[in-house]
Amino acid sequence: LNTCLALSVKYCDLVKFFKIRGNPNSTGSSSLFAVKMDYLKSVVPSQLVSERGSNLVIINPGSANVRIGLAKQDTPFNVPHCIARHTTKTGKSNQMISTQVTTTSQQQVDRERAFNTTASLLKIPYLDESSSFGSRKTVARIDGYHQPSTNTKKDTAFPWTNVFEDENEARAAPDVTDSGESKRKYRNMIFGEEAMRISPKEPYTIHRPIRRGHFNVSPQYSAQQVCEDLVAIWDWVLLDKLEIAHSERNKYSAVLVVPGTFDSREIKELLTIVLRDLCFSSAVVHQEGLSTIFGNGLSTACIVNMGAQTSTVVCIEDGVSLPNTEKILPFGGDDICRCLLWIQRHYQNWPQLRTDVLAKPIDMLMLNRLKESYCEIREGEVETAATVYSYEDGMPAVAHKTNLTSLNVPPMGLFYPNLLVPELFPQPPRTWFQDHENMLEETWNMDFGGGGGNMGLPVWDSFAVSPLNPKKEEKIGLAEAITSSILSAGRIDLQRKLFSSIQLVGGVGLTKGLVSAVEERVLHAIPPTEAIDTVEVLPSRMDPTFVSWKGGAILGILDFGREAWIHRNEWMENGIRVGSAKKYRDSYYIQAQAFCFINS
């Protein structure tokens, strides 16, 4: 926080310079900024967090999880970003909305080739060879298995969720039959991990409002339903975890830390959710890349954010995001989990279980635990004895002791994406991306009379992504993405600094051996014509999963002027209407103050 205070002082100097330069007649700006700078230089960080972080809620939504907490907390609540709604429809209904798996024969061939390439690099047997470990594999069912372990979490089963209302609630409003007996009532909505642990036989439909870094809009899952589910999930966290009642929300402000994959319309919908539906008094939006810089107390770095379903790379210079350096990769930790399952089945090490990560989300919880516990990157055969569980419809979990092998291959899919064949899901309808209030247009810089000017075109002609389409994803490896991103930064001195200041964040960043693997492969990916011979990944100062969230908390605490903040009444009355007194702009070009209102 001390480093961020120094950055804030530097930023105040810059803002002061440009404000006075743009308005030389201003007399109050100099004294106001002097007071703020004196306060920043003398304040104790803990005092600052206590004073300004108690009524500031930081929300960092992701595809698989959402991180929400007060700015004064050390870490946020991290809950699965899903909701299960009770349904009266008959038949199997516990399905992920808008999700299907389609693997072509060519993808299968490419996947096996990628495995063989990776196996050769890591010096382990190919798929078509019989490994010594595989020849002595054993699979045994274990009833009531409770072997002591240094990490008991690895060996415990996930319980099925109780889908019925609490008995006390049921007594308050009993559903009485003709015989006078009370029937147990189903819970209307179930959230987070509990939703993922619902048995497929129960009458529930599981919704994931965000998939692969975008709203999960499809013909089966409308945009309105997506937004309603987001409201329900976030409201549950605020009520159940943070204990902030609806009547108290007007005393709180919100900081939205959004992924770099989001489009302008999606961000506007999130703002409407926060200000209209959740009733916060004001809100501001920051991007994850910029927030990560502040979370680790840096000013310049190449940020590599590896989430559950997407990975992004972006370079930051002196607290300013460089938009031409952004790379979006359509894979993440969930794909590593499914790759782990695929490899074990190929080696015939996986028990004869009906493991289905889409039909039974509880299986994904189990695979994610195995991945976090055992997967690492290093040479040689990485193997272990582990306990896996079979979760059959409504039956108690049954433990199976088995040997898992090639545990260093799944995380290598980050560098060889053909190993990670993602599930396909229906793309949102094209009309969803048509933003008639395009944030990228500077309407006050248009010549409506036709006598010159830019004729209503965006002022940033180099913007590579059409607002009518989702941001472009690239199917390249992580090392190539990092190298391409940094080399797009321009100056050789900046490139050298960025190659020596790589930051790995997100849950995948916890993978053992990933740092050295990134350094080695990025160094080899640099063209020989480039005069760069050093690559370094900087250690994270806290859990990589929460760095972006923590950076959003620091940005919110240090934002004294709050000129970029949007108040609830302003958003509800004016929004971003053309011709209004204020205009909402895209965060890439606001840079250090993302998504500001700009005075005309």
Side-chain angles (χ1 to χ4, degrees):
L1 187 58
N2 285 324
T3 306
C4 294
L5 284 170
L7 288 174
S8 183
V9 172
K10 179 179 179 181
Y11 179 70
C12 284
D13 284 333
L14 290 173
V15 173
K16 173 183 175 183
F17 169 75
F18 284 112
K19 281 203 167 189
I20 295 176
R21 182 182 178 187
N23 185 11
N25 296 323
S26 176
T27 57
S29 299
S30 180
S31 58
L32 177 62
F33 275 93
V35 171
K36 291 180 181 178
M37 290 173 63
D38 290 341
Y39 176 74
L40 288 174
K41 293 175 181 177
S42 60
V43 69
V44 178
S46 59
Q47 175 190 354
L48 188 65
V49 171
S50 176
E51 290 177 356
R52 299 180 57 83
S54 59
N55 64 342
L56 194 60
V57 176
I58 316 300
I59 304 175
N60 180 207
S63 299
N65 299 283
V66 59
R67 291 155 288 277
I68 302 180
L70 292 171
K72 66 178 183 179
Q73 296 176 209
D74 292 331
T75 57
F77 293 99
N78 188 31
V79 298
H81 213 176
C82 62
I83 177 176
R85 293 182 180 271
H86 179 247
T87 178
T88 56
K89 295 180 181 179
T90 59
K92 190 176 180 179
S93 58
N94 189 9
Q95 299 286 338
M96 289 291 192
I97 293 293
S98 302
T99 306
Q100 57 185 348
V101 173
T102 304
T103 305
T104 64
S105 58
Q106 184 59 45
Q107 284 178 319
Q108 189 67 20
V109 170
D110 293 341
R111 195 177 207 183
E112 292 182 2
R113 287 176 179 170
F115 179 90
N116 291 338
T117 300
T118 306
S120 176
L121 291 171
L122 297 175
K123 299 180 176 59
I124 59 178
Y126 291 0
L127 279 178
D128 55 357
E129 296 179 0
S130 59
S131 66
S132 58
F133 185 76
S135 62
R136 62 175 184 269
K137 64 181 183 293
T138 58
V139 177
R141 170 172 168 160
I142 306 169
D143 293 313
Y145 176 74
H146 294 291
Q147 178 179 343
S149 172
T150 55
N151 185 354
T152 57
K153 184 179 179 181
K154 298 178 184 178
D155 295 328
T156 56
F158 290 99
W160 292 114
T161 295
N162 178 16
V163 297
F164 296 103
E165 289 185 356
D166 183 73
E167 292 184 1
N168 294 329
E169 296 177 3
R171 291 194 191 100
D175 186 0
V176 181
T177 63
D178 293 337
S179 62
E181 296 180 356
S182 297
K183 294 191 303 182
R184 300 190 70 183
K185 292 185 63 177
Y186 285 103
R187 295 159 65 182
N188 187 37
M189 294 182 292
I190 301 176
F191 305 93
E193 184 181 303
E194 273 197 312
M196 299 183 71
R197 293 191 282 104
I198 295 177
S199 170
K201 75 169 189 175
E202 302 292 355
Y204 283 85
T205 301
I206 297 180
H207 297 187
R208 279 199 178 276
I210 299 177
R211 297 285 299 178
R212 298 289 176 192
H214 288 285
F215 279 19
N216 193 15
V217 179
S218 74
Q220 295 79 32
Y221 197 14
S222 68
Q224 179 180 353
Q225 184 64 57
V226 168
C227 293
E228 289 177 359
D229 287 343
L230 286 171
V231 172
I233 295 169
W234 295 7
D235 189 56
W236 168 74
V237 176
L238 293 171
L239 289 171
D240 191 73
K241 306 296 183 182
L242 296 180
E243 299 181 349
I244 303 176
H246 294 103
S247 59
E248 300 291 320
R249 299 275 173 86
N250 60 344
K251 301 176 183 178
Y252 291 81
S253 297
V255 176
L256 275 170
V257 181
V258 298
T261 56
F262 276 15
D263 294 290
S264 60
R265 180 172 178 180
E266 293 169 318
I267 296 174
K268 287 195 296 183
E269 294 292 346
L270 292 184
L271 272 170
T272 300
I273 288 171
V274 167
L275 295 174
R276 183 193 67 188
D277 301 313
L278 299 180
C279 301
F280 283 98
S281 62
S282 60
V284 69
V285 181
H286 291 291
Q287 283 200 318
E288 281 185 336
L290 181 66
S291 297
T292 302
I293 282 287
F294 280 83
N296 267 327
L298 303 172
S299 61
T300 299
C302 175
I303 304 300
V304 184
N305 194 331
M306 298 166 289
Q309 297 175 10
T310 57
S311 300
T312 58
V313 182
V314 68
C315 296
I316 311 290
E317 180 188 12
D318 292 333
V320 176
S321 174
L322 306 178
N324 60 314
T325 64
E326 186 189 39
K327 303 290 179 183
I328 300 175
L329 309 176
F331 51 77
D334 285 0
D335 303 290
I336 296 176
C337 291
R338 292 189 298 112
C339 182
L340 170 64
L341 177 61
W342 174 77
I343 290 173
Q344 303 313 313
R345 281 177 167 167
H346 266 269
Y347 273 110
Q348 299 182 354
N349 287 334
W350 197 257
Q352 296 298 315
L353 309 178
R354 192 171 58 88
T355 305
D356 188 340
V357 297
L358 298 180
K360 294 188 297 179
I362 195 170
D363 285 337
M364 176 58 83
L365 290 175
M366 175 183 65
L367 285 169
N368 190 61
R369 177 186 289 177
L370 292 173
K371 177 201 69 176
E372 293 176 351
S373 301
Y374 302 117
C375 283
E376 59 179 293
I377 299 179
R378 63 178 172 86
E379 287 188 356
E381 182 68 84
V382 179
E383 55 193 40
T384 189
T387 303
V388 300
Y389 292 88
S390 57
Y391 298 94
E392 299 302 329
D393 298 353
M395 300 296 292
V398 177
H400 301 261
K401 192 76 172 182
T402 185
N403 294 321
L404 305 179
T405 188
S406 298
L407 294 170
N408 48 348
V409 173
M412 287 296 291
L414 297 170
F415 305 101
Y416 300 94
N418 285 337
L419 267 174
L420 311 175
V421 181
E423 76 272 16
L424 302 178
F425 60 98
Q427 288 291 332
R430 186 175 180 84
T431 54
W432 165 250
F433 295 100
Q434 293 178 355
D435 188 354
H436 300 288
E437 295 173 324
N438 186 3
M439 298 184 202
L440 299 182
E441 293 180 0
E442 293 276 28
T443 54
W444 63 81
N445 198 23
M446 296 180 182
D447 186 354
F448 295 100
N454 63 6
M455 298 302 294
L457 296 176
V459 295
W460 302 289
D461 296 330
S462 61
F463 190 67
V465 182
S466 168
L468 301 182
N469 297 297
K471 293 183 179 180
K472 183 179 178 182
E473 296 178 344
E474 301 183 43
K475 195 64 182 292
I476 58 177
L478 189 63
E480 290 77 13
I482 295 172
T483 302
S484 175
S485 174
I486 295 178
L487 292 179
S488 301
R491 308 189 320 269
I492 184 63
D493 61 320
L494 176 58
Q495 292 175 3
R496 288 173 176 167
K497 188 173 184 179
L498 291 170
F499 274 117
S500 298
S501 307
I502 299 174
Q503 278 277 290
L504 304 181
V505 297
V508 182
L510 293 168
T511 304
K512 187 177 179 181
L514 181 60
V515 170
S516 58
V518 168
E519 291 176 339
E520 178 184 353
R521 282 161 178 78
V522 169
L523 186 60
H524 289 162
I526 299 174
T529 55
E530 301 292 339
I532 297 169
D533 56 5
T534 302
V535 174
E536 182 180 358
V537 174
L538 300 180
S540 180
R541 298 186 179 183
M542 63 178 299
D543 187 336
T545 309
F546 306 131
V547 171
S548 298
W549 179 89
K550 191 63 176 181
I554 293 173
L555 282 169
I557 290 172
L558 295 181
D559 193 352
F560 292 91
R562 293 200 171 186
E563 296 178 355
W565 291 64
I566 306 154
H567 294 278
R568 185 173 187 269
N569 59 338
E570 288 180 322
W571 183 256
M572 298 308 301
E573 293 174 6
N574 299 323
I576 54 172
R577 293 177 187 172
V578 175
S580 62
K582 294 181 179 180
K583 169 73 176 174
Y584 204 56
R585 281 178 57 181
D586 186 83
S587 64
Y588 275 122
Y589 306 96
I590 293 300
Q591 310 292 4
Q593 283 192 324
F595 277 80
C596 293
F597 275 118
I598 300 298
N599 291 324
S600 299

